[in-house]
């Protein structure tokens, strides 16, 4: 059952490959079919007349079947083909077929050609040749049998006449030779019986010859076809589309075997050997630089993630969390901003630090200035309190990235990042650190050992297995504490969709923040 479900999931995931392959194949077949020359089919109806049977039984059926098969073979023979070509003065015959019509004593001879007139002439001529050959072959044998029987009848008649004359002479003698007359009478009777048998055989032979010379006959000659019989556009397209469908399914499994991307949360757990602590449905690309509203399915997803983080914080002293991804464009900054927003809504002070000094995004999402930030704090230009910005969301604070440094990895390594985190840890209930993708640069590897836990963000249908495995292994090698994984675009997983639920109150209350853009999903 699991294998069947897996196969169906694969086919559904690759449905566009299957559909496009079927459509393209059908279209190619349609174009090819429309470019083909039309063909015309002329048909002759023939009838077999088996003889020598008084009733329909198994023997007659067997004979009829053998007879029909014989004519099919004869129609394909070289003498028949040569005879037709000679009569019509053509060098090559078009395609033809002789077949038995089921449950009848009829046969159908079909000839298909590009010229309707040629199709008709070949069909009729071929039927005539079959009939002529039938009559010729049986007539020659029949005449030979008749000739032999006629000679035997003549000889018997002569013998009877001789015996009759001798009989009359004996009767006229005195005294009458009774013994010889009795013997002669018996001889005459025997000869007459032989004569009668030969005469009966002769009569049957003549009847048999007449029947055998008409075993096959033309019932309905071919007429000139008015409409083309092929090619069948609809049938060809359906066959082509069907073949394309099968080919598309094969391609789907080939792509599945060669595809390195992750498509389900279960795959993500198996690959990373980590627990999925958050499943975030798709957020449109244009809305990633905004916070989700308080009643959407996205907000509920972040509340679930917040609950998981709080649970780990109680049990494992999790206060500083680094959020990273194996590859770019996995949506980690969106996760950091919205998770911070959700934690702030619970009434706890939360600080989000934009440690992505290369491509910072948090200040766009949270709508705060980025004049000074982490880069200036680590460089000693400004104190941390002057760089932290309070957002319009109560309890939500931001330490933006600040200026873009020429070598962020060196700044993070040399700067007082560890004592900075230790100081901030005592001032906020939760600290979320947004870092660059782990495999892209060394920044995340520098920060990971300094925090209480690392959350790895991946995006279904985008993140690859090899990259996620590599990031997981490298994080383990630097003794980072892995808290779990967050799956973005979780609605790509069909298993997730079954439980998706948009929970809104009957009457929505107006409210929210004025400075932060919210997305109603």
């Amino acid at each position: 059952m699991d294998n069947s479900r897996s196969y169906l999931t694969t086919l559904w995931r690759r449905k566009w490959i299957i559909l496009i392959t079927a459509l393209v194949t059908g279209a190619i077949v349609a174009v090819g079919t429309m470019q083909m020359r039309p063909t015309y089919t002329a048909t002759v109806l023939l009838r077999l007349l088996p003889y020598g049977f008084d009733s329909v039984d198994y023997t007659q059926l067997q004979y009829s079947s053998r007879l029909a098969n014989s004519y099919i073979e004869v129609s394909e023979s070289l003498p028949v083909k040569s005879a037709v070509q000679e009569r019509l003065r053509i060098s090559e015959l078009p395609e033809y077929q002789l077949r038995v019509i089921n449950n009848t004593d009829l046969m159908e001879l079909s000839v298909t050609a590009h010229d309707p007139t040629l199709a008709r002439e070949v069909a009729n001529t071929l039927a005539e040749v079959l009939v002529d050959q039938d009559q010729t072959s049986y007539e020659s044998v029949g005449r030979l049998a008749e000739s032999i029987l006629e000679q035997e009848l003549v000889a018997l008649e002569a013998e009877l006449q001789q015996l009759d004359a001798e009989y009359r002479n004996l009767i006229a003698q005195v005294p009458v030779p009774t013994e010889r007359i009795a013997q002669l009478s018996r001889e005459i009777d025997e000869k007459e019986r032989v004569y009668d048998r030969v005469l009966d055989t002769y009569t049957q032979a003549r009847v048999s010859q007449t029947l055998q010379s008409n075993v096959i006959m033309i019932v309905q000659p071919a007429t000139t076809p008015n409409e083309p019989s092929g090619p069948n556009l609809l049938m060809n397209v359906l066959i082509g589309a069907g073949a394309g469908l099968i080919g598309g399914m094969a391609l789907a499994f080939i792509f599945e075997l060669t595809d390195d991307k992750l498509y389900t949360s279960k795959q993500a757990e198996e690959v990373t050997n980590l627990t999925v602590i958050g499943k975030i449905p798709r957020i449109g690309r244009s809305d990633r630089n905004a916070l989700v509203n308080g009643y959407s399915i996205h907000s509920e997803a972040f509340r679930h993630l917040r609950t998981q983080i709080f649970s780990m914080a109680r049990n494992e002293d999790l206060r500083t969390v680094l959020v990273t991804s194996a590859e770019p464009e996995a949506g980690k900054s969106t996760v950091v901003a919205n998770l911070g927003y959700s934690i702030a809504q619970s009434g706890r002070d939360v600080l989000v630090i934009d440690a992505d000094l290369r491509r910072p995004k948090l200040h766009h999402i949270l709508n705060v200035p980025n004049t000074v930030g982490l880069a200036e704090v680590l460089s000693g230009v400004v104190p941390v309190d002057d760089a932290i910005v309070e957002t319009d969301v109560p309890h939500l604070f931001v330490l933006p990235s600040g200026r873009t440094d020429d070598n962020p990895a060196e700044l993070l390594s040399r700067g007082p990042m560890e004592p900075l985190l230790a100081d901030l840890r005592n001032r906020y209930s939760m600290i979320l650190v947004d870092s660059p993708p782990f495999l892209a640069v060394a920044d995340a590897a520098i920060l990971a050992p300094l925090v209480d836990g690392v959350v790895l963000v991946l995006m279904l249908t985008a993140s690859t297995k090899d990259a996620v495995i590599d990031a997981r292994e490298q994080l383990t090698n630097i003794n980072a504490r892995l808290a779990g994984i967050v799956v973005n675009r979780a609605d790509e997983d069909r298993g997730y969709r079954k439980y998706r639920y948009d929970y809104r109150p009957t009457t929505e209350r107006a409210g929210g923040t004025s400075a932060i853009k919210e997305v109603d999903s």
Side-chain angles (χ1 to χ4, degrees):
M1 180 64 71
D2 291 339
N3 288 338
S4 299
R5 187 179 293 110
S6 175
Y7 294 149
L8 292 175
T9 301
T10 298
L11 294 176
W12 177 257
R13 185 159 55 241
R14 306 291 180 179
K15 57 184 178 294
W16 292 114
I17 293 177
I18 298 172
L19 182 60
I20 291 173
T21 303
L23 291 176
V24 169
T25 305
I28 292 174
V29 171
V31 172
T33 300
M34 288 187 290
Q35 292 179 347
M36 295 172 62
R37 290 179 61 190
T39 57
Y40 299 84
T41 301
T43 303
V44 176
L45 194 62
L46 301 168
R47 185 180 182 187
L48 291 176
L49 299 173
Y51 60 92
F53 296 96
D54 297 328
S55 60
V56 178
D57 55 16
Y58 180 71
T59 303
Q60 182 179 3
L61 292 177
Q62 275 193 321
Y63 173 77
S64 299
S65 177
R66 290 198 301 269
L67 187 63
N69 291 331
S70 299
Y71 275 108
I72 292 173
E73 293 297 326
V74 169
S75 69
E76 297 288 343
S77 65
L78 184 60
V80 170
K81 292 182 178 181
S82 300
V84 175
Q85 290 174 318
E86 184 177 350
R87 291 190 187 187
L88 295 177
R89 300 183 183 279
I90 56 176
S91 58
E92 185 177 358
L93 291 179
E95 293 183 2
Y96 63 88
Q97 181 186 29
L98 181 61
R99 69 177 188 89
V100 179
I101 301 177
N102 292 334
N103 301 321
T104 69
D105 57 0
L106 300 176
M107 300 186 73
E108 184 181 74
L109 174 62
S110 301
V111 178
T112 302
H114 294 296
D115 184 353
T117 303
L118 178 63
R120 181 204 66 203
E121 291 180 351
V122 170
N124 288 331
T125 304
L126 183 54
E128 292 170 1
V129 169
L130 288 174
V131 173
D132 291 346
Q133 280 208 345
D134 169 71
Q135 293 177 348
T136 301
S137 60
Y138 281 114
E139 281 179 2
S140 59
V141 175
R143 288 198 189 96
L144 178 60
E146 280 186 40
S147 176
I148 294 172
L149 291 172
E150 283 179 357
Q151 292 178 9
E152 190 171 351
L153 285 174
V154 170
L156 287 172
E157 287 177 355
E159 290 181 10
L160 282 172
Q161 289 176 2
Q162 183 179 354
L163 291 173
D164 185 62
E166 185 180 352
Y167 181 80
R168 286 195 297 268
N169 290 334
L170 290 175
I171 291 176
Q173 292 180 10
V174 178
V176 177
T178 56
E179 292 183 4
R180 176 58 183 157
I181 290 176
Q183 180 184 1
L184 191 59
S185 178
R186 288 191 298 271
E187 290 179 7
I188 293 174
D189 291 339
E190 179 64 25
K191 289 292 183 182
E192 286 179 346
R193 283 194 296 271
V194 172
Y195 181 85
D196 290 338
R197 286 199 299 271
V198 174
L199 181 61
D200 185 58
T201 302
Y202 175 74
T203 303
Q204 289 182 1
R206 298 197 59 171
V207 173
S208 177
Q209 178 191 349
T210 303
L211 291 173
Q212 291 185 30
S213 62
N214 293 280
V215 170
I216 187 169
M217 61 178 293
I218 298 174
V219 176
Q220 179 179 311
T223 58
T224 304
N226 296 321
E227 297 293 333
S229 58
N232 190 325
L233 178 61
L234 178 60
M235 181 62 68
N236 289 353
V237 170
L238 290 177
I239 293 174
L245 190 66
I246 296 173
M249 293 170 67
L251 282 177
F253 286 108
I254 291 174
F255 276 107
E256 186 72 13
L257 291 174
T258 58
D259 192 357
D260 191 38
K261 292 186 177 63
L262 294 169
Y263 289 95
T264 66
S265 298
K266 185 177 180 181
Q267 281 183 320
E269 287 186 328
E270 292 173 349
V271 164
T272 60
N273 198 25
L274 295 172
T275 302
V276 173
I277 60 174
K279 296 180 180 181
I280 313 301
R282 179 192 296 267
I283 299 176
R285 182 175 293 275
S286 61
D287 296 327
R288 290 179 187 171
N289 291 336
L291 297 177
V292 296
N293 70 25
Y295 302 118
S296 68
I297 56 173
H298 300 88
S299 293
E300 290 300 324
F302 282 110
R303 290 189 186 100
H304 279 289
L305 175 59
R306 179 187 69 188
T307 302
Q308 292 286 336
I309 295 292
F310 283 172
S311 177
M312 288 187 288
R314 285 193 301 270
N315 299 327
E316 304 173 14
D317 192 25
L318 187 69
R319 299 281 296 280
T320 56
V321 178
L322 176 72
V323 180
T324 187
S325 61
E327 302 165 291
E329 301 300 324
K332 59 179 180 55
S333 298
T334 303
V335 170
V336 170
N338 282 281
L339 177 58
Y341 181 31
S342 181
I343 294 174
Q345 286 181 322
S346 70
R348 305 188 187 194
D349 290 340
V350 57
L351 173 67
V352 293
I353 301 176
D354 195 343
D356 190 345
L357 304 182
R358 303 167 190 269
R359 295 181 182 178
K361 294 180 181 178
L362 286 180
H363 63 284
H364 291 300
I365 301 175
L366 297 174
N367 196 23
V368 296
N370 191 27
T371 52
V372 294
L374 180 62
E376 286 73 20
V377 172
L378 295 178
S379 300
V381 177
V382 296
V384 65
D385 290 336
D386 292 344
I388 293 177
V389 180
E390 184 176 358
T391 69
D392 289 342
V393 178
H395 307 289
L396 179 60
F397 301 87
V398 183
L399 177 57
S401 65
R403 62 180 173 81
T404 303
D405 195 87
D406 293 336
N407 199 336
E410 295 298 329
L411 181 61
L412 292 171
S413 298
R414 293 196 308 265
M417 191 67 189
E418 186 172 3
L420 175 64
L421 287 174
D423 175 53
L424 295 174
R425 189 176 188 276
N426 296 322
R427 297 163 56 181
Y428 295 94
S429 298
M430 186 68 65
I431 297 174
L432 304 176
V433 182
D434 182 17
S435 76
F438 189 86
L439 298 180
V441 290
D443 302 19
I446 296 170
L447 296 171
L450 308 180
V451 296
D452 298 332
V454 177
V455 171
L456 191 62
V457 178
L458 58 86
M459 182 175 288
L460 296 186
T461 72
S463 298
T464 60
K465 298 176 185 177
D466 287 344
V468 172
I469 292 173
D470 196 8
R472 164 80 166 90
E473 291 176 348
Q474 291 190 39
L475 284 167
T476 302
N477 292 337
I478 61 176
N479 296 320
R481 181 183 173 190
L482 292 166
I485 53 179
V486 173
V487 175
N488 256 329
R489 205 182 285 174
D491 48 330
E492 291 291 340
D493 187 347
R494 289 175 60 85
Y496 172 83
R497 297 181 209 172
K498 294 188 295 185
Y499 307 104
R500 211 172 80 172
Y501 186 64
D502 189 1
Y503 184 81
R504 295 171 181 264
T506 304
T507 304
E508 295 186 4
R509 293 172 296 176
T513 58
S514 58
I516 295 180
K517 177 184 175 185
E518 292 187 346
V519 176
D520 185 355
S521 58

